[in-house]
Amino acid sequence: MVLQYFLPQSLEGVSLAQVRSHNSSLKNLAPGLVAIFVGGTSGISHYTAREFARNTTSSHIYLIGRNEKEAARITQELQTINSSSKVDFIKKDVSLLREVDAACKEIKEKEKKVNLLFMTIGTLTLKGRDETPEGLDKKFALHYYSRMRFIQNLAPELTAAANDADPKANLSRVVSVYDPFIGKKGVPNFADLSLKTGFSLGACATHASAMQNFALERFARMYPATSFIHEQPGGVETGLAKSPIWKPVYFLAKPFLVEKVESGERHLFEATAPRYAPKAKAGGVEDVVIGADGVKGSGFYHLSWNGAASGPSDKETAMRADGAEKKIWEHTEEVYKKICAESGKY
Ligand SMILES: NC(=O)c1ccc[n+]([C@@H]2O[C@H](COP(=O)([O-])OP(=O)(O)OC[C@H]3O[C@@H](n4cnc5c(N)ncnc54)[C@H](OP(=O)(O)O)[C@@H]3O)[C@@H](O)[C@H]2O)c1
C-alpha cells in the first residue's frame, strides 16, 4: 500500500518537454481565470498554484486550508511570481462538511464562474477511526465526502465557466489528487460504506478511492462540459514527508520521488491540457485520452503521476454492472442530507 506511492505506474506518460511546452502556451488564455486549491497551503496544491500563477494572466487564486501563516507566505510568493494574480485565503477545517458549505458560500458570493477546482486535502495519519463531530472519519471525510461536496456545491460555477462564449476562457475542470488505482483493485463493503463499524486504514483507502471513482463518473455524466480527473501523484516531498513517521520513508524513497517543481508543472498540465477534455468538447481533440470507462474522451480520467490514462479494471467493470455508482451516490446523498440539510450527524 505504502510502496505503491513511490513506484511509478508502468503506463506510457507525457514527457516533461511536452508538459512545459503546453504550460507556456497558457499565457494565450483569457485573463481572469478562477482556480480554487483545496489544500493550497502545502504540498502538491501549493506547487501547482505556483505554476498556475506563473503561466496565467490576472488569475484569481483561492487557497483553502487551516494554516494562516503558510497561506500568508504562499500568497506573497504567488504575487511575487506574477503580480497580476489575485490570491485569497479561506481558512476552514474542511474535514467538516458544514465548513465545506461555508467555504463554497464565500466563493459563490464573489465568483460567477470557476475554471479549476483542484483538491489535495488529506492526511497520511496511521490513527484508527477518528470521528469528527459530524460522525464521519476525519481522513475519509477529507479524501472523499468533502471533496465530492465541493464539486456538488460548485458545479453551477464550473458549468458557467464551461459555457463561456470565449474559447480562451471556457476551461472547466476538476482535479482530485489521491489515488484511483486502489479502488480499481479493491471492492468496498457496500453494507458499511462510511466504515462506521469496519474501519481499517486499508478499507478507508479502498472506499475513498473506489467511491471517488464512481462519484466522479456520475459527475462527468451530469456535467459533460466539465472534465473530471482522479490522479495518483507518485511520491512527492510535501507536508506529508515532514511527519516523524513518514520522514524516513520519504528519505529512503528519494530516488523515486517526483521533484516538487516537476510535480507542479505536471499537475498544471493535467489541469489544463486538451487531451483531458470534457465529454462535450472531446470530439475535435486529436490526442484525447481514454476515459476511466474505456471510452476515449468520456470526460472522466484516471491518471498516473506522468499523465498516462487508464481504463477500467475487471473489478470496476463488475461493480459498475452491479450498480455501484447508484449505491455509492445514494449513500453519499444520505450523509449530506443528515449533516448539511438537517445540521445533524451521520
Ligand atoms: N505526497 C505524496 O507522496 C502522495 C502520494 C500519493 C498520494 N498523495 C495524496 O495526494 C494528496 C495531496 O497530498 P500532499 O502530499 O500535497 O499533502 P500535504 O502537503 O500534507 O497537503 C495537504 C493539504 O491538506 C490540507 N488539510 C489537511 N487537513 C485539512 C483540514 N482538516 N481542513 C483544511 N485543510 C486541510 C493542509 O492544509 P492545512 O495544514 O493548512 O490545514 C494541506 O494544505 C493527498 O490526498 C495524499 O493522500 C500524496
Side-chain angles (χ1 to χ4, degrees):
M1 175 83 66
V2 170
L3 255 187
Q4 73 179 12
Y5 277 7
F6 303 108
L7 298 175
Q9 305 283 322
S10 59
L11 298 164
E12 199 184 319
V14 180
S15 75
L16 193 51
Q18 224 177 321
V19 165
R20 288 184 175 151
S21 158
H22 164 78
N23 289 354
S24 64
S25 75
L26 296 175
K27 284 272 185 254
N28 298 325
L29 294 183
L33 297 181
V34 176
I36 298 165
F37 291 90
V38 186
T41 52
S42 174
I44 295 164
S45 266
H46 167 209
Y47 308 151
T48 309
R50 215 153 53 180
E51 298 312 314
F52 187 84
R54 198 187 318 282
N55 290 284
T56 57
T57 310
S58 304
S59 53
H60 192 168
I61 294 172
Y62 288 87
L63 308 172
I64 301 180
R66 295 162 302 176
N67 189 330
E68 269 174 293
K69 205 170 150 205
E70 273 307 291
R73 189 184 68 75
I74 293 168
T75 299
Q76 194 155 44
E77 182 192 21
L78 299 184
Q79 281 168 339
T80 306
I81 288 171
N82 187 339
S83 59
S84 77
S85 309
K86 184 173 175 215
V87 186
D88 274 325
F89 173 52
I90 299 181
K91 184 181 174 182
K92 294 282 178 231
D93 177 350
V94 294
S95 64
L96 300 170
L97 295 177
R98 290 194 283 268
E99 290 289 282
V100 173
D101 285 358
C104 293
K105 185 167 177 277
E106 213 172 310
I107 293 165
K108 281 166 173 284
E109 280 164 6
K110 292 188 193 149
E111 305 294 345
K112 289 197 166 53
K113 56 163 203 146
V114 169
N115 298 98
L116 173 64
L117 174 59
F118 190 92
M119 298 181 283
T120 58
I121 39 170
T123 156
L124 260 189
T125 173
L126 297 180
K127 249 191 193 173
R129 188 177 162 87
D130 180 11
E131 197 161 296
T132 70
E134 295 178 339
L136 298 171
D137 171 67
K138 189 172 184 174
K139 181 184 177 90
F140 193 4
L142 288 167
H143 287 160
Y144 175 67
Y145 296 100
S146 300
R147 294 183 187 209
M148 300 307 108
R149 186 70 178 172
F150 268 106
I151 301 176
Q152 189 183 53
N153 285 342
L154 295 173
E157 287 72 21
L158 285 157
T159 302
N163 291 339
D164 197 308
D166 178 359
K168 291 185 172 176
N170 68 5
L171 173 73
S172 176
R173 199 162 292 190
V174 172
V175 181
S176 180
V177 179
Y178 179 58
D179 191 331
F181 301 104
I182 302 172
K184 288 170 122 48
K185 295 174 201 144
V187 177
N189 175 2
F190 285 92
D192 181 23
L193 280 172
S194 76
L195 294 171
K196 203 76 167 172
T197 54
F199 188 92
S200 70
L201 290 174
C204 182
T206 297
H207 279 226
S209 173
M211 289 166 73
Q212 188 161 168
N213 285 346
F214 282 107
L216 292 180
E217 180 167 341
R218 176 184 172 276
F219 279 123
R221 208 178 42 254
M222 287 183 69
Y223 304 105
T226 299
S227 54
F228 295 84
I229 291 173
H230 186 186
E231 191 245 16
Q232 206 278 7
V236 189
E237 197 180 336
T238 63
L240 301 181
K242 288 182 193 147
S243 85
I245 305 169
W246 292 105
K247 213 174 177 167
V249 180
Y250 277 84
F251 179 76
L252 291 173
K254 221 168 173 91
F256 303 107
L257 298 182
V258 183
E259 197 272 325
K260 293 174 190 176
V261 173
E262 177 176 343
S263 175
E265 292 173 318
R266 288 192 173 278
H267 284 96
L268 179 63
F269 180 85
E270 290 171 6
T272 54
R275 59 166 42 207
Y276 312 116
K279 185 175 183 180
K281 294 173 188 166
V285 182
E286 211 176 293
D287 62 349
V288 74
V289 297
I290 191 168
D293 57 352
V295 177
K296 258 189 163 190
S298 57
F300 64 107
Y301 305 104
H302 291 171
L303 303 187
S304 183
W305 71 276
N306 60 3
S310 69
S313 66
D314 291 347
K315 278 203 174 128
E316 263 178 324
T317 303
M319 280 194 278
R320 188 176 288 114
D322 202 28
E325 183 194 303
K326 187 167 181 280
K327 291 178 207 168
I328 288 166
W329 196 254
E330 279 175 2
H331 157 77
T332 307
E333 285 284 29
E334 180 65 15
V335 168
Y336 293 165
K337 181 169 158 271
K338 284 202 171 137
I339 295 174
C340 304
E342 296 168 1
S343 299
K345 192 175 165 172
Y346 185 74

